[in-house]
Amino acid sequence: MRVCLFTEPHRGATYDDQLRMARLAEDGGFEGFLRADHYRSMELEGGLPGPTDAWVTLAGLARETSRIRLGTLVSSATFRLPGPLAVTVAQVDQMSGGRVELGLGTGWYEREHTAYGIPFPPLGERFDRLEEQLAIVTGLWATPSGGRFSHHGEHYRLVDAPALPKPVQRPWPPIIIGGRGPKRTPRLAARYADEFNLPFRNVSETAQAFERVVEAQERIGRTRDGRASLVLSAGIVVAIGRNDAEARRRAAPLHVPSALPPEDPVIGSPAQLVDRIGEFAAIGATRVHLRLLDFADLDHLDLIAAKVLPQLDSGR
């Protein structure tokens, strides 16, 4: 099982906070450090000292870490035009030596759009824009050096783009698509993604989402040796401790009113987290993203690195 750390800097974190946690995760043996791409906290209050831009942050981390993979889970298609996004991600991939992953989604949190003057079209249009963005980003990266790329779509038009720069990873950095959508999300994942992620749901719901994606792959013939060629991953909200009181303290932020949908956290001991990861492995997940809530609570990260990761490495 491959284990990544997922963070939410919009809850309140500076660049230095994120760098400190990314370095600790790298030293502790986590595979990746992925962050949300939001410009406003989901809570009605809080989020100080304010947002940090996801790709500016990842560019900095690319130069100040050496092994850990870096990415977004996920960037919103409403935030950036697809041509400049392809340039940005390719550049950060170069800066990291080929460690970047691009999670891309429709965007959903209207409040942050209105706060910063970002257009927020209806859901159907957001899906249309996401599909075009995926086609453009992958098309730019796949165009041979020296070639040109054009796209004439409903929402975006590119004419004779030089399709540069190129990412280090070929044919391109891993693309992550996730979400609970029953139709278009599986279809887009099957066509464009290297990883499908269902964030922070229970095992049963996750299994159903995995099945939809596998079926979508089979419909377009995207299988390898009879197995799904996409990585299937799950997100887990984590609040564990050496005792019940410590776990409850770490879970306290989960009780604050939020715009997020209901989640299925692991609150308890390291053994309970190991068991939950095992349940996700049993339904086909080969990667998990552990969401920790408090950037200042580095002991939480140390506890997982010391008590959880070694059990997964031992094949449990």
Side-chain angles (χ1 to χ4, degrees):
M1 179 64 71
R2 298 154 57 195
V3 183
C4 298
L5 176 65
F6 172 69
T7 64
E8 296 182 313
H10 54 274
R11 287 177 175 266
T14 65
Y15 172 76
D16 287 339
D17 293 330
Q18 294 170 75
L19 173 61
R20 185 164 46 248
M21 185 168 274
R23 283 176 166 170
L24 189 61
E26 182 171 74
D27 293 343
F30 287 81
E31 178 185 76
F33 177 91
L34 287 88
R35 56 156 286 167
D37 190 356
H38 284 292
Y39 288 121
R40 189 158 184 174
S41 173
M42 277 54 174
E43 291 75 30
L44 296 180
E45 303 295 336
L48 297 175
T52 53
D53 183 85
W55 285 100
V56 171
T57 297
L58 293 172
L61 297 179
R63 306 303 288 179
E64 298 196 84
T65 59
S66 59
R67 179 197 61 79
I68 199 163
R69 298 193 63 79
L70 303 166
T72 52
L73 197 65
V74 296
S75 287
S76 171
T78 57
F79 288 174
R80 302 170 185 89
L81 296 172
L85 176 64
V87 171
T88 297
V89 178
Q91 182 179 357
V92 179
D93 197 48
Q94 292 178 359
M95 294 169 69
S96 71
R99 293 184 283 127
V100 159
E101 306 186 11
L102 170 62
L104 195 60
T106 60
W108 65 271
Y109 190 32
E110 185 173 8
R111 188 166 175 252
E112 68 185 337
H113 290 74
T114 56
Y116 287 96
I118 302 169
F120 188 71
L123 180 59
E125 182 180 331
R126 299 203 307 275
F127 262 108
D128 293 341
R129 288 179 176 273
L130 171 62
E131 186 163 7
E132 277 196 59
Q133 290 212 0
L134 290 164
I136 291 166
V137 169
T138 57
L140 286 166
W141 288 340
T143 298
S145 296
R148 300 281 173 166
F149 176 81
S150 296
H151 173 89
H152 302 278
E154 182 179 354
H155 301 288
Y156 306 104
R157 180 175 180 179
L158 285 73
V159 180
D160 292 335
L164 295 172
K166 297 298 185 191
V168 171
Q169 299 174 90
R170 305 300 295 162
W172 48 66
I175 293 174
I176 305 171
I177 294 175
R180 294 175 292 161
K183 295 180 180 179
R184 296 190 71 174
T185 297
R187 180 172 62 80
L188 291 176
R191 182 175 180 185
Y192 290 107
D194 300 282
E195 176 178 337
F196 171 77
N197 173 262
L198 190 72
F200 319 125
R201 312 303 293 179
N202 63 41
V203 176
S204 175
E205 289 177 281
T206 304
Q208 294 171 27
F210 286 177
E211 289 173 4
R212 290 192 291 266
V213 171
V214 171
E215 290 170 358
Q217 291 181 100
E218 292 172 346
R219 284 195 294 270
I220 65 172
R222 184 183 173 180
T223 56
R224 182 176 58 236
D225 299 327
R227 300 176 64 184
S229 58
L230 267 109
V231 171
L232 300 175
S233 70
I236 308 174
V237 181
V238 177
I240 64 170
R242 296 171 182 84
N243 52 58
D244 289 344
E246 189 172 80
R248 288 195 300 271
R249 173 177 61 78
R250 287 178 169 141
L254 297 174
H255 305 300
V256 176
S258 168
L260 288 169
E263 298 167 329
D264 188 36
V266 174
I267 303 171
S269 67
Q272 287 174 273
L273 178 55
V274 172
D275 289 343
R276 178 69 62 84
I277 292 172
E279 292 173 354
F280 281 121
I283 62 170
T286 57
R287 199 183 200 201
V288 291
H289 300 270
L290 306 183
R291 177 178 139 208
L292 306 190
L293 303 175
D294 185 356
F295 274 88
D297 187 3
L298 300 180
D299 179 64
H300 198 188
L301 189 61
D302 283 335
L303 178 63
I304 295 170
K307 299 298 184 180
V308 175
L309 297 190
Q311 297 190 62
L312 304 177
D313 291 340
S314 66
R316 177 169 173 174

